[in-house]
Amino acid sequence: MPVRMVESPAPSNSSGANPGQTSLQPCSLLSVGQAFSGTQNVSSPQKEEAWRVNVRIQGCDLNHGYLCGTMEALNVPMADTPRWKEQYFVNVGADCGLTIAGFYYVCFSCVDGSINGYYYDPNSSPFQKLELKTTNEGRSGFSFSSYELQ
Amino acid sequence: MPGSASSTHRPEGLIERLRSAAADGGEAKLKVLRELKNQIIGNRTKKLSYIKLGAVPFVVSILSSASSSADCLLVQCAATIGSFACGVDAGVKAVLDTGAFPHLINLLSHPNEKVVDAGARALKMIYQSKVAPKYDFFEEKNMEFLISLLDKNNENVTGLGASIITHSCETNDEQKILGDAGVLKKLIDLLGGTTSQRDASLESFATIIKENPEVISKFVGPENGRTWGTLIELTKDRYPRTRLLACVCLILIKNAAPSYLQSVGIRTKLILVLLELIDDPGQVGDEAVLTLSSFIADDEGLQKLAFEASTIDKLCDHLQKELLQAKRLQGIFMTLANLCSNLECCRSIILQSPKALNIVTAALTHATADVRVAACICLKNISRSVKYLSAGHFMTEAVIMPLIQLLYDTSTSVQVAALCTISNLVVDFTMHKSLFVQSGGVKQLVQLSKSMDSTVRLNAVWALRNLMFLVDSRCKEGIFMELRALTLTSLVCDPSASVQEQALALVCNLVNGPVDSIEYVFTEDGLLLNAVGRQLWSASKHEVLIQITCFCHSCVSAIRYV
């Protein structure tokens, strides 16, 4: 699902752009292919619970302040009343029990690539904290993969 | 009973009468010329037939031997010659080869206005053909003659002057010399004339200002506000062709000097006028589409205005009409492509319409190569939507199969367009990318990566690079088995730096993923690793060096500390 990283679009070379807006600074940890893993705290007053979450960045347009990727939630228990939005889910069925009605509000650290934030949806448990760190996926350091759209 | 009378009306019979008319009196010549003219007017087949039978030299011979007082004969000769030249390049060639040109020029100074008209019309027909002789504007006498044509109070003569400019003005120097000679002002003055004068003048005006900021800046300034106002008024003219030509002129001014067309209101107006002109089923509609396409190309602001004017809906409605000509289809796809080049909102509208994407993919198999190319470019720009790519929207048989077929197209430009589109579609983020691989796409990409044509090679490697992005191990192995270390090595060392860059990015994607992916660079005695090492010392393009750095980083990160 697309995640808007800044409030307003960054300026571009086209006419009609708003002057005075700042775009995201490039950062090698915020690039296409980069993986993150961590947790999303979905605890309720009745129950302590956290999902393991993996994120991979798939699209990155800093000029327009736009980021796109996939989020994989693990160990998610099945719900009785699932919600589904086909356009954004990959590899799960209609009864997956996940909702994407809300928004993630996150901060990205350019120092260590960690992502921290909260998922907000008035119809879901409050204060679902998201904590992600970059992962090297078994390597001893970062590796770079890329694509370039024509 | 029909006998010799019908045989004399047959082409061969008429030719005989033409031949013998040279010796006959004026009335006989006039009669046979009228018959010939009436047969060929509006009939391309008959024109070609009579040209083949050698009619043109006889007509020119009558013209050259006619006395200057034989007004009717002069008019008929000129009209017949003009008819042969009208829309038929072979006719123009035949007319020029038989030396008609100077005789027609002489008619322009005849005291009888009807003779002048006929001569001017015939010459205009010649200058509407690309095989007409090039006019030398640098020759002083030629420029004087041209200006004398534009100064005449006769719409056929001024129209001839404008036709000469439209035909022969090609270079910036020619534009400049015409601008310096004050031709632009004369053309602007003719905008107040008849419809025919207006259209001819607009066309010539566009020819002189096209892609020439210097000529435009000298002419279109605050002191020429009247010109600007006139052009804008003409976008509301009752005649479609006039509205189109006025739009073309304004857009050419904007393209060369963007500061001249800042007003959002006027920009939106132009878009709406062009959209309305697209309703015309003929040439005006075809040109309106192409004009709109070039207007919004490379300008995100204009693309946004066009989007807000519901351009996509209107173009998609047009696409659903049956039997659209190739040129119209090409123009519509290019306009949609330009709309989708930057704006996600435009891509979304098309992708959410069940019919629109089907129409684009159906056009991938169109009989005309230009339409296939335009459809590919349209699909390529639509597929810039990472959102829909990641949803797997494009990885369907309906889209992928015709594109793979285009990799075998006889036209190189179609192959390249298909490669560019495929290079986007294979970034579908599903790690197995099975549909493309199972459909035999990899084999042909690898084949094209060995093409002698560097553009084909570049785009094939680009597609392979994107295909290799985040692909799973099994698929990666399959691609590498097809590609082989040797081919990849030669691409890394390709004569073209752009190919090197894509090949190195492909290698980075190859070694990315599970740690044992690094083994690929050690196959065949480290062929790939050595090649990259050599490039490290010899490469100069910084994008190539960036990829080498990324590769080195990936290699180091794969080292396991014991």
Side-chain angles (χ1 to χ4, degrees):
Chain A
M1 64 223 139
V3 176
R4 190 165 282 278
M5 295 300 286
V6 292
E7 276 288 306
S8 311
S12 64
N13 291 331
S14 64
S15 59
N18 293 323
Q21 306 274 352
T22 52
S23 57
L24 272 176
Q25 293 302 308
C27 176
S28 56
L29 295 172
L30 194 67
S31 57
V32 156
Q34 181 59 53
F36 302 80
S37 67
T39 55
Q40 180 171 337
N41 187 340
V42 293
S43 296
S44 63
Q46 293 79 34
K47 191 176 154 193
E48 285 277 325
E49 192 180 351
W51 297 341
R52 269 181 39 228
V53 173
N54 294 324
V55 166
R56 189 179 299 278
I57 296 176
Q58 289 170 341
C60 188
D61 181 356
L62 297 182
N63 284 337
H64 289 93
Y66 222 78
L67 207 65
C68 180
T70 52
M71 180 179 266
E72 182 188 23
L74 306 174
N75 306 324
V76 176
M78 299 298 284
D80 292 330
T81 52
R83 288 180 64 176
W84 173 256
K85 280 191 182 176
E86 192 174 4
Q87 221 172 346
Y88 302 99
F89 285 97
V90 180
N91 296 336
V92 292
D95 55 353
C96 69
L98 294 173
T99 175
I100 53 169
F103 293 89
Y104 285 90
Y105 293 86
V106 296
C107 288
F108 172 79
S109 164
C110 296
V111 173
D112 64 5
S114 62
I115 296 176
N116 292 281
Y118 286 91
Y119 174 76
Y120 174 73
D121 169 17
N123 295 324
S124 299
S125 310
F127 309 120
Q128 291 190 36
K129 191 172 184 189
L130 182 72
E131 292 171 290
L132 299 172
K133 291 190 187 327
T134 57
T135 169
N136 299 334
E137 299 177 279
R139 291 172 168 261
S140 57
F142 294 107
S143 67
F144 295 92
S145 61
S146 67
Y147 69 85
E148 191 180 350
L149 291 178
Q150 295 221 42
Chain B
M1 85 192 154
S4 60
S6 68
S7 67
T8 59
H9 290 293
R10 281 176 45 228
E12 293 81 3
L14 213 153
I15 294 290
E16 261 316 300
R17 286 165 59 210
L18 260 180
R19 188 199 304 275
S20 57
D24 291 345
E27 274 307 311
K29 287 178 193 173
L30 211 50
K31 192 169 176 225
V32 73
L33 277 172
R34 274 202 187 107
E35 264 183 62
L36 175 62
K37 188 193 75 179
N38 290 343
Q39 283 206 28
I40 65 174
I41 269 188
N43 191 324
R44 185 186 165 85
T45 310
K46 283 246 169 96
K47 285 184 199 182
L48 289 169
S49 170
Y50 275 110
I51 289 167
K52 218 171 165 185
L53 288 169
V56 176
F58 292 123
V59 178
V60 176
S61 150
I62 294 174
L63 173 64
S64 63
S65 59
S67 123
S68 62
S69 58
D71 295 3
C72 289
L73 198 57
L74 291 172
V75 168
Q76 283 307 315
C77 282
T80 309
I81 289 169
S83 193
F84 271 119
C86 181
V88 179
D89 285 349
V92 173
K93 215 171 163 309
V95 162
L96 293 173
D97 288 348
T98 49
F101 200 81
H103 301 295
L104 291 171
I105 294 282
N106 284 342
L107 297 183
L108 298 180
S109 46
H110 198 277
N112 186 328
E113 208 60 19
K114 285 187 178 156
V115 174
V116 171
D117 279 344
R121 276 198 296 267
L123 286 163
K124 218 165 67 169
M125 294 301 126
I126 291 172
Y127 273 105
Q128 279 171 4
S129 163
K130 55 186 181 298
V131 307
K134 180 146 166 84
Y135 200 83
D136 184 357
F137 300 108
F138 298 101
E139 179 71 47
E140 203 180 321
K141 281 210 167 82
N142 283 356
M143 186 61 88
E144 283 171 8
F145 179 68
L146 177 66
I147 290 181
S148 74
L149 294 178
L150 295 174
D151 283 338
K152 277 267 191 340
N153 188 15
N154 177 314
E155 74 171 314
N156 285 306
V157 175
T158 55
L160 168 60
S163 293
I164 290 173
I165 294 168
T166 305
H167 172 269
S168 292
C169 175
E170 289 168 325
T171 65
N172 283 359
D173 288 339
E174 285 165 336
Q175 290 172 322
K176 187 174 183 314
I177 200 167
L178 284 164
D180 290 345
V183 166
L184 281 174
K185 178 151 186 337
K186 292 185 190 298
L187 291 173
I188 292 295
D189 288 342
L190 289 171
L191 292 182
T194 64
T195 305
S196 159
Q197 279 176 320
R198 267 206 310 272
D199 287 358
S201 303
L202 282 170
E203 231 175 316
S204 316
F205 184 82
T207 308
I208 296 175
I209 66 173
K210 189 175 177 180
E211 290 166 20
N212 196 322
E214 194 193 331
V215 166
I216 290 173
S217 64
K218 279 186 186 164
F219 183 77
V220 184
E223 69 279 8
N224 287 314
R226 217 186 96 240
T227 306
W228 192 250
T230 304
L231 287 173
I232 292 184
E233 272 309 299
L234 287 174
T235 63
K236 304 173 204 164
D237 193 84
R238 52 197 284 234
Y239 293 105
R241 183 147 181 83
T242 308
R243 294 200 294 279
L244 172 67
L245 290 169
C247 287
V248 168
C249 289
L250 287 166
I251 288 166
L252 284 173
I253 292 171
K254 174 257 167 194
N255 285 347
S259 59
Y260 282 113
L261 200 73
Q262 291 273 42
S263 154
V264 168
I266 293 179
R267 289 178 171 214
T268 304
K269 186 83 208 328
L270 283 176
I271 290 169
L272 290 172
V273 170
L274 289 170
L275 275 177
E276 175 258 324
L277 286 169
I278 289 172
D279 284 333
D280 179 286
Q283 199 189 351
V284 166
D286 291 345
E287 288 183 29
V289 172
L290 291 171
T291 304
L292 179 59
S293 175
S294 73
F295 185 34
I296 64 173
D298 305 321
D299 192 322
E300 193 172 324
L302 279 169
Q303 289 155 19
K304 200 144 198 293
L305 289 178
F307 166 71
E308 286 161 2
S310 304
T311 300
I312 294 187
D313 287 338
K314 289 181 179 142
L315 292 178
C316 287
D317 285 344
H318 275 288
L319 280 176
Q320 291 180 57
K321 289 180 186 164
E322 289 187 11
L323 299 175
L324 283 180
Q325 295 297 312
K327 194 171 175 193
R328 181 66 62 102
L329 272 176
Q330 181 192 358
I332 292 177
F333 286 132
M334 286 311 300
T335 309
L336 287 172
N338 286 332
L339 279 163
C340 294
S341 57
N342 295 297
L343 298 177
E344 183 65 18
C345 51
C346 295
R347 297 170 199 146
S348 288
I349 287 191
I350 293 177
L351 288 168
Q352 284 165 16
S353 154
K355 282 189 184 171
L357 191 61
N358 289 344
I359 292 173
V360 177
T361 51
L364 295 173
T365 53
H366 196 275
T368 305
D370 285 344
V371 174
R372 298 199 295 279
V373 168
C376 281
I377 295 173
C378 185
L379 192 53
K380 178 195 75 167
N381 287 4
I382 294 171
S383 68
R384 287 177 179 174
S385 169
V386 179
K387 172 174 143 183
Y388 283 91
L389 274 177
S390 65
H393 206 88
F394 299 97
M395 202 47 76
T396 63
E397 282 193 10
V399 174
I400 294 297
M401 300 308 288
L403 275 172
I404 291 179
Q405 280 310 303
L406 291 183
L407 296 179
Y408 298 90
D409 201 281
T410 51
S411 157
T412 308
S413 57
V414 173
Q415 280 186 327
V416 169
L419 281 168
C420 293
T421 311
I422 285 170
S423 70
N424 284 3
L425 300 194
V426 292
V427 185
D428 80 334
F429 306 114
T430 59
M431 293 184 174
H432 44 275
K433 312 202 182 188
S434 52
L435 178 60
F436 184 80
V437 173
Q438 282 162 18
S439 306
V442 178
K443 206 177 173 72
Q444 188 58 4
L445 285 184
V446 171
Q447 188 55 33
L448 292 173
S449 72
K450 301 172 192 169
S451 168
M452 296 297 291
D453 184 318
S454 63
T455 309
V456 172
R457 221 163 52 243
L458 168 63
N459 287 292
V461 179
W462 197 323
L464 285 165
R465 168 219 183 154
N466 285 353
L467 180 65
M468 196 67 88
F469 173 72
L470 293 185
V471 76
D472 69 18
S473 299
R474 196 163 146 228
C475 195
K476 184 182 286 189
E477 193 184 334
I479 298 169
F480 188 74
M481 291 299 291
E482 194 67 56
L483 190 53
R484 314 244 45 139
L486 188 60
T487 307
L488 195 41
T489 301
S490 72
L491 289 168
V492 164
C493 304
D494 195 273
S496 157
S498 299
V499 174
Q500 290 172 20
E501 181 194 344
Q502 293 298 332
L504 284 160
L506 167 53
V507 173
C508 281
N509 287 352
L510 178 67
V511 303
N512 183 257
V515 176
D516 59 3
S517 297
I518 197 67
E519 301 288 342
Y520 284 112
V521 300
F522 295 109
T523 57
E524 298 183 44
D525 295 326
L527 206 55
L528 258 179
L529 189 61
N530 291 336
V532 179
R534 282 197 300 278
Q535 285 301 82
L536 182 60
W537 293 110
S538 62
S540 56
K541 188 178 174 197
H542 78 265
E543 288 89 347
V544 175
L545 291 168
I546 286 172
Q547 293 299 337
I548 294 174
T549 309
C550 291
F551 169 77
C552 294
H553 208 295
S554 295
C555 286
V556 166
S557 76
I559 293 170
R560 297 181 193 197
Y561 295 106
V562 175

